[in-house]
Amino acid sequence: MASGTVPTSFSSLKTWDSNLGFAKNVDFVRVSDLKSMKAAKKRVSIIRNSNPGQDIVELQPASPGSPLLVPRQKYCESLHKTVRRKTSTVMVGNVALGSEHPIRIQTMTTTDTKDIAGTVEQVMRIADKGADIVRITVQGKKEADACFEIKNTLVQKNYNIPLVADIHFAPTVALRVAECFDKIRVNPGNFADRRAQFEQLEYTEDDYQKELEHIEKVFTPLVEKCKKYGRAMRIGTNHGSLSDRIMSYYGDSPRGMVESAFEFARICRKLDFHNFVFSMKASNPVIMVQAYRLLVAEMYVQGWDYPLHLGVTEAGEGEDGRMKSAIGIGTLLQDGLGDTIRVSLTEPPEEEIDPCRRLANLGMRASELQKGVEPFEEKNRRYFDFQRRSGQLPVQKEGEEMDYRGVLHRDGSVLMSVSLDQLKDLATVDSILLRELPPLDDAEARLALKRLVDISMGVITPLSEQLTKPLPNALVLVNLKELSTGAYKLLPQGTRLVVSVRGDESFEELDILKGVDATMLLHDLPYTEDKVSRVHAARRLFEFLSDNSLNFPVIHHIQFPNGIHRDDLVIGAGSDAGALLVDGLGDGLLLEAPDKDFEFIRNTSFNLLQGCRMRNTKTEYVSCPSCGRTLFDLQEISAEIREKTSHLPGVSIAIMGCIVNGPGEMADADFGYVGGTPGKIDLYVGKTVVKRGIEMEHATNALIDLIKEHGRWVDPPAEE
């Protein structure tokens, strides 16, 4: 990959390219001495590096063969191990946030903020569960007035947990509540900008500057008040509520999210206010991860060290919500990013604390141990823009009896480890790992396996089993030692091989893969490893494969121990395998847990692929966690909608309690069910409202009718 260095002190111009993922003000420089630039008039964009003493920036093509050069930006402390990013300390009441402190846990109340007694009771339950911080929605003057009583009542009851005011559309309300709450969350998409209408706006430079001046005028009083009272602030961008101004200028993109937050941060810095944190939330974990990485990359360039609040918004409920949160939050924690986290679930807020703590513990342990691998050069991973590395799916070879093309799925494969007694009840997966083959004289079991092979399901078995009890057309599992000793050569010629690797072997040991025709690789690092990171070992493995033009499909194989908690399994799989899949690294999963039932493991695997935007096997729900703005019982309605629509794979439905993030988050959904006014529902197709003011009792059926109108409905399978 061509690269070079150029001075950074060049005059600044504007760019309208919405795909770069960097800040609005960039430098255009002429490059004539780089081989990739053949014409002197070619322009390349770079970002000025404002760190003292750094006068040059390394450039690389934006994509292979591209004439556009961009900086190789740093987005975390280390690419080969988990090292927590160094941040300043931000005080939220009596709780310190930042890299010198534990990862803080927080949630948000769901009560009506005007219900003082109910809100106080919920805050106390949350605090008793172990939360460090709690957020409360404050949408108007009455709610702001109630906040004073909420705070005073809690103090009288000896609850000093810091309280955060969640502000949308209401600068005057923020000013009022800053007098009593410890932190103010502002949403840059709607604090000073008007509500998004999803219109493409045209701006001159003067027009845009006037908009920025307007934001500064509206925002400055709140900054000054926070300074006066010693309050903290979260500049919290939501992918679903970017303003039309930002979307018109930068696109509906992670880059737009970062710039939206930076506009507010620059005002804070101008006023010498630094007690703030950033967040970059989205309901899509892939977008969420990209946005946080871009944010941190920009902060490294600017020399900023503000802490991060991590979260996947509208994650949903149950295992779905935990999985999406694990994918997004867990990925970043293993990159050493994140200082406070929230797992947003469509459940009572106190139920968020336990999975939140499990994730925080995972992140703290990884950074304390600095889990990783030996340093390696990483040149091929695209960590700012998703680009999937698709392994070469099996192709049929002349003379083969079995059709091996079905052993892996193009959108992501699910493999399962099964025992002989599970063969009869085997649900649909792509391939199975059978560690023990039936005896040669067990005709019934052999026939069951033959039927699986006949429908192109892959049956993988260890080398020792295949040598002693051969199964026709089985795929044989071997490790690098068995390859190096030549033991696999005892198999009939043409036998399909599956190779298990740890990923942290020396490149000399991995070189043997160059001479092997493997159907797939299983990346299998023992769960008991304390110091070696599964994520970094896999990234290293993919780097080796790319450097050597080896296009084997790679399956993430995780063997969990007996007795693991179900939430730890979901969060562990989401964090370890999800962190790779969101970067497009991997072709499927093989999760094992000896004491967990088959359906749970299978469903977890499919949920993980769907959460990483790979393989859709069920209806996708974008469901907000509820708050004081919610206009209906979100848990009850969500369960009702799921019951009637959960059989629609490929269909995405947003269930939103109010309008704050509704239309924007529904960019990621086909249909939307949104609280419009008390007792009334608005229905959306994408971002567009198509039916307003539907009575609650008729709204679910109206949603089903809307799905039918657009040809996306199928009748549920008949119950047997």
Side-chain angles (χ1 to χ4, degrees):
M1 184 175 287
S3 63
T5 55
V6 296
T8 59
S9 53
F10 290 87
S11 60
S12 182
L13 298 173
K14 307 284 186 182
T15 178
W16 292 78
D17 187 335
S18 63
N19 296 315
L20 289 177
F22 304 128
K24 174 164 61 71
N25 291 314
V26 301
D27 298 315
F28 282 101
V29 298
R30 294 188 180 187
V31 177
S32 57
D33 59 345
L34 293 175
K35 294 180 180 178
S36 61
M37 309 302 298
K38 295 181 179 178
K41 292 184 179 180
K42 294 262 187 170
R43 298 187 302 182
V44 297
S45 66
I46 69 167
I47 298 175
R48 177 178 290 109
N49 190 332
S50 60
N51 288 338
Q54 294 193 11
D55 297 321
I56 59 174
V57 59
E58 185 180 357
L59 301 178
Q60 66 177 15
S63 58
S66 171
L68 179 64
L69 300 187
V70 295
R72 291 194 66 176
Q73 282 182 288
K74 174 181 178 180
Y75 81 90
C76 61
E77 290 292 306
S78 171
L79 289 177
H80 63 268
K81 61 182 177 179
T82 300
V83 178
R84 197 163 172 196
R85 171 179 163 261
K86 301 299 181 186
T87 75
S88 59
T89 292
V90 166
M91 294 303 301
V92 184
N94 58 359
V95 171
L97 294 183
S99 59
E100 300 303 311
H101 313 283
I103 295 171
R104 303 300 186 181
I105 296 167
Q106 58 178 284
T107 184
M108 186 173 185
T109 59
T110 59
T111 52
D112 183 340
T113 307
K114 298 189 297 296
D115 176 4
I116 295 166
T119 302
V120 167
E121 286 296 322
Q122 194 172 68
V123 171
M124 291 193 298
R125 288 199 302 274
I126 291 167
D128 290 342
K129 282 278 191 174
D132 298 303
I133 300 168
V134 64
R135 181 159 44 114
I136 298 172
T137 189
V138 189
Q139 60 265 54
K141 184 179 183 303
K142 292 180 180 178
E143 288 81 5
D145 291 341
C147 289
F148 286 81
E149 293 191 53
I150 291 168
K151 180 71 172 179
N152 290 336
T153 305
L154 286 166
V155 171
Q156 290 166 15
K157 294 177 180 286
N158 293 318
Y159 281 83
N160 292 309
I161 186 168
L163 302 180
V164 183
D166 194 58
I167 303 294
H168 298 273
F169 306 111
T172 56
V173 173
L175 286 170
R176 170 75 170 141
V177 79
E179 296 175 10
C180 70
F181 273 16
D182 304 284
K183 182 180 175 185
I184 308 297
R185 180 275 172 103
V186 296
N187 183 342
N190 59 35
F191 187 83
D193 280 314
R194 66 190 181 100
R195 186 190 301 275
Q197 302 299 313
F198 305 100
E199 299 171 346
Q200 184 68 31
L201 306 176
E202 296 293 335
Y203 286 96
T204 65
E205 290 300 319
D206 287 342
D207 290 338
Y208 203 89
Q209 188 58 39
K210 287 176 182 177
E211 294 278 0
L212 295 180
E213 291 168 1
H214 169 69
I215 291 172
E216 184 170 352
K217 181 179 179 181
V218 174
F219 185 49
T220 292
L222 177 61
V223 177
E224 291 176 336
K225 198 152 203 177
C226 286
K227 284 183 67 176
K228 176 181 177 182
Y229 285 90
R231 307 306 186 201
M233 186 182 293
R234 169 157 70 100
I235 301 174
T237 303
N238 270 12
H239 182 233
S241 52
L242 294 174
S243 68
D244 284 336
R245 177 179 60 82
I246 286 289
M247 286 191 286
S248 296
Y249 209 60
Y250 299 98
D252 185 8
S253 64
R255 180 180 176 226
M257 294 169 67
V258 172
E259 182 58 25
S260 183
F262 265 47
E263 290 176 350
F264 281 66
R266 292 182 191 112
I267 296 168
C268 290
R269 290 175 58 82
K270 180 178 178 180
L271 297 170
D272 197 26
F273 176 71
H274 302 280
N275 202 43
F276 66 88
V277 304
F278 283 114
S279 69
M280 296 277 121
K281 293 192 176 184
S283 60
N284 180 336
V286 177
I287 291 175
M288 173 261 197
V289 167
Q290 289 175 8
Y292 275 103
R293 286 173 173 171
L294 281 171
L295 174 81
V296 175
E298 284 284 292
M299 281 203 277
Y300 275 123
V301 169
Q302 299 295 336
W304 297 359
D305 60 356
Y306 301 106
L308 298 178
H309 167 126
L310 303 185
V312 177
T313 190
E314 283 90 30
E317 64 183 358
E319 189 188 311
D320 285 357
R322 287 160 175 77
M323 179 60 80
K324 283 186 185 177
S325 294
I327 294 167
I329 298 171
T331 297
L332 295 167
L333 290 177
Q334 295 195 86
D335 281 333
L337 306 179
D339 304 286
T340 178
I341 64 176
R342 182 200 174 185
V343 174
S344 298
L345 301 175
T346 310
E347 298 176 21
E350 57 268 28
E351 298 301 317
E352 296 181 354
I353 304 306
D354 183 64
C356 203
R357 183 182 293 110
R358 293 176 190 277
L359 262 172
N361 289 344
L362 180 151
M364 289 297 295
R365 178 171 171 77
S367 61
E368 286 167 2
L369 294 173
Q370 293 205 351
K371 294 180 74 168
V373 292
E374 288 298 312
F376 65 99
E377 185 180 4
E378 192 172 44
K379 306 181 294 296
N380 296 290
R381 180 164 62 101
R382 300 285 291 274
Y383 36 78
F384 292 126
D385 59 330
F386 180 83
Q387 183 172 319
R388 185 179 168 197
R389 172 207 179 267
S390 294
Q392 174 62 53
L393 293 174
V395 295
Q396 202 62 11
K397 299 177 183 177
E398 187 176 349
E400 288 183 323
E401 297 175 357
M402 177 185 170
D403 186 353
Y404 287 97
R405 290 173 293 183
V407 304
L408 294 176
H409 192 283
R410 68 181 182 279
D411 295 327
S413 303
V414 170
L415 284 66
M416 293 287 292
S417 177
V418 301
S419 58
L420 287 174
D421 58 2
Q422 292 174 311
L423 292 179
K424 293 181 181 178
D425 303 317
L426 191 62
T428 303
V429 293
D430 298 300
S431 291
I432 60 170
L433 171 60
L434 196 60
R435 294 188 182 279
E436 181 182 357
L437 287 175
L440 293 172
D441 59 359
D442 188 342
E444 185 179 357
R446 292 263 157 177
L447 179 60
L449 287 173
K450 182 179 184 303
R451 287 172 176 164
L452 295 177
V453 169
D454 287 344
I455 61 170
S456 294
M457 180 180 288
V459 178
I460 304 168
T461 194
L463 174 63
S464 59
E465 287 292 296
Q466 184 67 2
L467 289 175
T468 56
K469 295 175 282 186
L471 176 71
N473 302 311
L475 294 90
V476 179
L477 179 63
V478 297
N479 56 37
L480 293 184
K481 183 178 180 180
E482 289 166 333
L483 287 180
S484 63
T485 60
Y488 73 100
K489 294 179 181 178
L490 296 172
L491 295 166
Q493 189 171 1
T495 299
R496 295 274 188 158
L497 297 181
V498 175
V499 184
S500 179
V501 295
R502 289 172 51 102
D504 64 341
E505 299 95 342
S506 70
F507 285 154
E508 288 75 21
E509 290 176 276
L510 291 173
D511 276 342
I512 197 168
L513 294 174
K514 298 176 185 176
V516 174
D517 182 15
T519 298
M520 69 184 88
L521 304 184
L522 300 187
H523 176 241
D524 180 13
L525 187 75
Y527 194 82
T528 52
E529 285 284 0
D530 274 340
K531 292 290 183 74
V532 182
S533 159
R534 172 179 296 277
V535 170
H536 294 89
R539 289 174 181 168
R540 180 178 178 276
L541 173 63
F542 282 109
E543 199 67 35
F544 172 84
L545 296 176
S546 294
D547 284 347
N548 291 281
S549 302
L550 298 175
N551 205 23
F552 304 128
V554 178
I555 304 299
H556 299 298
H557 184 190
I558 308 177
Q559 300 185 57
F560 293 100
N562 269 319
I564 189 169
H565 191 282
R566 285 167 70 105
D567 277 1
D568 280 334
L569 188 151
V570 171
I571 287 168
S575 300
D576 282 338
L580 297 155
L581 295 175
V582 295
D583 281 335
L585 300 178
D587 301 273
L589 304 163
L590 171 52
L591 307 181
E592 291 192 76
D595 60 342
K596 297 296 183 287
D597 65 89
F598 183 95
E599 278 302 307
F600 169 67
I601 297 293
R602 178 180 175 275
N603 290 338
T604 297
S605 301
F606 280 112
N607 287 345
L608 178 46
L609 291 178
Q610 185 150 331
C612 293
R613 293 305 194 267
M614 291 177 65
R615 184 174 178 180
N616 289 327
T617 51
K618 64 179 185 178
T619 314
E620 176 80 11
Y621 297 97
V622 179
S623 176
C624 79
S626 187
C627 70
R629 298 173 187 271
T630 302
L631 297 167
F632 54 84
D633 186 329
L634 207 137
Q635 292 175 50
E636 178 184 332
I637 294 299
S638 178
E640 178 184 315
I641 292 174
R642 285 170 182 264
E643 181 183 357
K644 296 184 177 182
T645 63
S646 60
H647 63 288
L648 302 173
V651 173
S652 179
I653 299 173
I655 309 168
M656 316 297 285
C658 73
I659 199 65
V660 167
N661 289 330
E665 290 298 353
M666 283 183 293
D668 212 33
D670 302 308
F671 304 97
Y673 180 109
V674 181
T677 57
K680 301 286 181 70
I681 297 299
D682 298 338
L683 295 181
Y684 286 71
V685 174
K687 296 178 182 178
T688 305
V689 61
V690 293
K691 295 183 181 180
R692 293 186 185 274
I694 302 169
E695 296 288 342
M696 282 286 302
E697 58 265 31
H698 305 304
T700 299
N701 287 335
L703 172 64
I704 291 171
D705 290 340
L706 186 63
I707 296 171
K708 290 178 177 177
E709 288 172 20
H710 284 77
R712 304 294 298 278
W713 180 265
V714 294
D715 290 329
E719 295 185 9
E720 296 181 359

